[in-house]
Amino acid sequence: MKKLINQTDDILDEMLEGMVAAHPNEIKRLAETNVIVRSNAPIKGKVGLVSGGGSGHEPAHAGYVGHKLLDAAVCGEVFTSPTPDQVYEAIKAVDGGVGVLLIVKNYSGDVMNFDMAADMAKDEGIKVEQVIIRDDVAIANPEDRRGVAGTIFVHKIAGAAAESGKSLKDIAELAQKTADNVFSMGVSLSPSIVPASGKPGFELKEDEMEIGTGIHGEQGIERKTLKPADEIAEELVQNLLKHMDIKNSRIALMINGQGSTPLMELYIMNRKVSELLNEKQAEIKKTFVGEYMTSIEMAGCSVSILKLDDELEYFLH
Amino acid sequence: MNLTTETAKQWLLAAGRDMQENKGYLSELDQAIGDGDHGHNMARGFAEVEKKIASKTYDDVGGVVKDASMTIISKVGGAAGPLYGTAFLKASGVWKGKAEVSDEEFAEGLKAAIDGIAQRGKSEQGQKTMLDVWIPVLQEAEKGNIEAEQLAQTAKEAMEKTEGIEAKKGRAAYLGERSIGHLDPGAYSSYLLFEALVEAIEAGGEANG
Ligand SMILES: Nc1ncnc2c1ncn2[C@@H]1O[C@H](COP(=O)(O)OP(=O)(O)OP(=O)(O)O)[C@@H](O)[C@H]1O
Ligand SMILES: [Mg+2]
């Protein structure tokens, strides 16, 4: 294991200190927690947005704390969901009196920890709604689908809507609509190494790739010989389009790097993906190419497609 | 079985030592069908339990178990944190105010713990989770005249059986049939927990003369 770290036990703490040092005007860390909140939290009369999960996915989620985005991010240990008391502290810190929306990726740990925190907050009289993101089509059963890079669209859309002064109920519905219309799928070329274990999460031969990996390197649908980018793009798009009809629709697109894949390769992927989507007569309104939801140093990318309507497009602009 | 407040405390401390000793193995089991953090989560959490309870004196079994549950909830994380935390919290409710719990009360506490896990995890027996250990242990305990040794033996056999089950809950479920042939890490840590009980009971017996 070769990493720019000090002690493995200090990784989370030191990363958060570094983040706050970089953006002291925008964010702060809640004392004695691993929660990052907007420096002006709570904002009176504005619905608070809280997300979070295991660390190692930076910029998710602490990097999305800010104007027209999240009010708080709860950061767990690397690839381990945060505990309910931390989520609860985040909820309390950002409640501006009109309630808090929790944006949760569908991983059993995250779902349970956020759910416990929601119960704790409700007991204290705070209004809490939750939206669970399930965008990873590599899992067949829709209920079991993992939450991956599509979550970022929810942050952006719900964040803009919250800033505009919408109610908790409206924002929860809008977030749910976003979640229902976003689909993602990944491909990985090499694994990530969780610092505490020091070992790769899975093994791939030099000429192999895995289609459909989750953001912690969970096994995907198929492991096979690495192919040229255009063929991989085609396979991912084909899989995504089994779940959505984009003909003559407006869409937003995200080509997300998993951690150690250069932008150069992401643009090569985007070239083919956007070509294929244009062929399907989809109108790509907005494209995001870059690292939005990483998996430490995993190599590869994910493709997310969000089908837009007027409202989603308006808040994503 | 003689479960006094002091024995309960020794039970949790012994469990912590077992989690620490088996940290690498538990994470290895989790590496095969999950994300490789289970041993680290459990060891980190139980180390905090030790810090919390070791030098405190308690009047009832519920008190020490509740302190452990709150610590587990706030320190373990992952899926195991809310599940073990909820389990101990529910059991502590049953054992509240009792300086010693009878066999019947012990079984009642286990039952409450299992209901807590099942509700929080939306899970049931046969899905390759910790419940596949807890439920057979409860069934054994409900027979009455509990021998800790027998509970641990039941836990061990139940844990071994998870190897043949296909995972339906938690991360391992993503593997579907490929999860067969591996022990469930949460089932293994639950087995360690019941084994620690034997040790605490035996040591307690000696201490009492
Ligand atoms: N829904 C559930 N019901 C009961 N037990 C569960 C459930 N989900 C997971 N488990 C148990 O938890 C164990 C895994 O715990 P662990 O601490 O590794 O959590 P995790 O899934 O890695 O969480 P995270 O995804 O947040 O890292 C499994 O082996 C299983 O026994
Ligand atoms: Mg795990």
Side-chain angles (χ1 to χ4, degrees):
Chain A
M1 181 172 69
K2 220 171 169 184
K3 291 180 194 278
L4 293 174
I5 58 173
N6 298 306
Q7 300 298 317
T8 44
D9 283 348
D10 299 334
I11 288 177
L12 178 54
D13 203 42
E14 294 181 356
M15 174 185 76
L16 295 177
E17 282 176 17
M19 273 190 168
V20 174
H23 309 285
N25 298 324
E26 288 83 22
I27 58 172
K28 64 184 180 195
R29 180 175 176 182
L30 285 187
E32 285 169 49
T33 70
N34 297 322
V35 176
I36 296 287
V37 299
R38 274 162 80 156
S39 46
N40 56 344
I43 303 169
K44 206 163 178 288
K46 177 191 161 311
V47 169
L49 298 188
V50 176
S51 190
S55 293
H57 304 300
E58 293 65 31
H61 291 276
Y64 296 101
V65 174
H67 183 63
K68 287 172 94 179
L69 285 163
L70 302 176
D71 292 273
V74 193
C75 309
E77 295 293 327
V78 177
F79 285 7
T80 297
S81 53
T83 56
D85 55 310
Q86 300 260 321
V87 181
Y88 174 56
E89 291 302 324
I91 295 173
K92 280 197 298 187
V94 305
D95 177 34
V98 290
V100 175
L101 175 70
L102 309 182
I103 302 171
V104 186
K105 301 191 297 304
N106 190 33
Y107 277 97
S108 56
D110 284 354
V111 171
M112 287 188 269
N113 285 296
F114 277 79
D115 205 39
M116 285 182 90
D119 286 350
M120 290 157 80
K122 285 178 197 160
D123 281 348
E124 292 299 312
I126 302 176
K127 279 198 284 177
V128 181
E129 293 283 343
Q130 297 188 63
V131 55
I132 314 275
I133 317 302
R134 305 177 159 92
D135 56 320
D136 186 357
V137 300
I139 305 290
N141 180 3
E143 274 301 296
D144 296 339
R145 281 184 193 151
R146 304 176 281 237
V148 292
T151 309
I152 307 312
F153 285 120
V154 182
H155 292 353
K156 288 178 181 284
I157 289 170
E163 215 74 53
S164 79
K166 278 188 175 288
S167 71
L168 176 60
K169 182 170 164 288
D170 287 351
I171 296 166
E173 278 171 16
L174 183 61
Q176 187 63 54
K177 182 162 82 175
T178 312
D180 290 342
N181 283 288
V182 66
F183 300 89
S184 304
M185 192 151 163
V187 56
S188 298
L189 313 184
S190 68
S192 53
I193 300 172
V194 173
S197 80
K199 286 180 231 140
F202 56 92
E203 270 165 48
L204 279 178
K205 293 204 201 81
E206 192 48 39
D207 63 343
E208 272 183 339
M209 64 175 174
E210 173 120 2
I211 302 274
T213 36
I215 54 171
H216 312 89
E218 296 92 342
Q219 274 183 334
I221 339 184
E222 208 189 343
R223 186 167 288 200
K224 50 185 173 188
T225 312
L226 183 62
K227 293 204 225 103
D230 283 3
E231 285 177 47
I232 300 174
E234 231 165 285
E235 177 157 2
L236 293 179
V237 168
Q238 252 173 29
N239 269 298
L240 287 166
L241 295 191
K242 282 183 201 154
H243 303 274
M244 59 196 312
D245 178 14
I246 57 162
K247 199 170 154 67
N248 298 320
S249 305
R250 288 166 285 164
I251 59 170
L253 175 64
M254 181 180 283
I255 311 289
N256 169 60
Q258 290 174 340
S260 66
T261 288
L263 266 173
M264 184 171 72
E265 294 172 31
L266 298 180
Y267 281 119
I268 291 172
M269 286 295 289
N270 185 53
R271 169 187 163 275
K272 187 64 183 179
V273 170
S274 47
E275 179 190 311
L276 291 166
L277 297 175
N278 285 325
E279 274 171 20
K280 298 279 174 199
Q281 274 121 43
E283 192 185 342
I284 306 172
K285 284 288 185 183
K286 201 160 171 81
T287 303
F288 299 86
V289 178
E291 293 188 336
Y292 294 90
M293 171 79 79
T294 59
S295 305
I296 324 179
E297 70 272 73
M298 202 151 91
C301 75
S302 62
V303 176
S304 302
I305 305 174
L306 169 67
K307 188 168 166 172
L308 298 167
D309 64 7
D310 288 342
E311 191 184 25
L312 296 181
E313 188 182 345
Y314 174 77
F315 285 113
L316 186 62
H317 63 232
Chain B
M1 191 175 76
N2 192 17
L3 187 64
T4 63
T5 305
E6 181 55 27
T7 315
K9 183 171 169 178
Q10 293 310 321
W11 172 22
L12 293 163
L13 293 175
R17 197 209 45 221
D18 289 353
M19 297 302 164
Q20 200 63 43
E21 276 172 11
N22 290 277
K23 172 169 137 179
Y25 182 60
L26 286 171
S27 285
E28 239 171 70
L29 291 177
D30 194 30
Q31 183 92 12
I33 56 170
D35 57 351
D37 62 354
H38 188 60
H40 294 89
N41 295 346
M42 295 302 286
R44 184 179 59 242
F46 272 89
E48 297 290 337
V49 169
E50 182 183 335
K51 270 193 222 159
K52 174 92 192 173
I53 67 172
S55 55
K56 234 174 119 174
T57 45
Y58 293 91
D59 304 325
D60 64 331
V61 178
V64 64
V65 174
K66 177 156 188 196
D67 263 4
S69 77
M70 297 314 281
T71 308
I72 289 168
I73 287 172
S74 64
K75 298 293 179 192
V76 176
L83 291 168
Y84 276 113
T86 303
F88 281 118
L89 186 63
K90 298 288 180 188
S92 77
V94 177
W95 299 335
K96 193 174 169 189
K98 298 183 164 68
E100 190 173 330
V101 301
S102 67
D103 282 4
E104 204 175 309
E105 288 161 345
F106 181 76
E108 266 173 50
L110 279 189
K111 174 86 175 60
I114 288 165
D115 289 347
I117 295 172
Q119 195 190 8
R120 187 58 70 194
K122 302 189 175 65
S123 43
E124 53 189 55
Q125 194 171 8
Q127 298 181 320
K128 199 182 186 98
T129 70
M130 53 178 75
L131 281 180
D132 292 324
V133 166
W134 284 72
I135 292 174
V137 168
L138 170 65
Q139 286 161 349
E140 182 62 36
E142 279 176 334
K143 292 180 190 159
N145 276 329
I146 301 175
E147 295 278 353
E149 196 80 54
Q150 185 55 45
L151 288 191
Q153 185 57 32
T154 304
K156 182 160 192 279
E157 285 162 16
M159 173 274 289
E160 284 165 353
K161 275 199 196 137
T162 63
E163 192 173 335
I165 304 176
E166 178 180 335
K168 296 284 183 197
K169 287 284 166 186
R171 266 174 206 288
Y174 300 135
L175 292 180
E177 284 176 10
R178 285 183 286 172
S179 63
I180 297 174
H182 300 276
L183 292 175
D184 176 59
Y188 199 91
S189 57
S190 295
Y191 151 66
L192 292 177
L193 185 70
F194 291 110
E195 208 181 54
L197 179 65
V198 179
E199 190 179 318
I201 295 279
E202 280 171 359
E206 276 161 31
N208 292 340

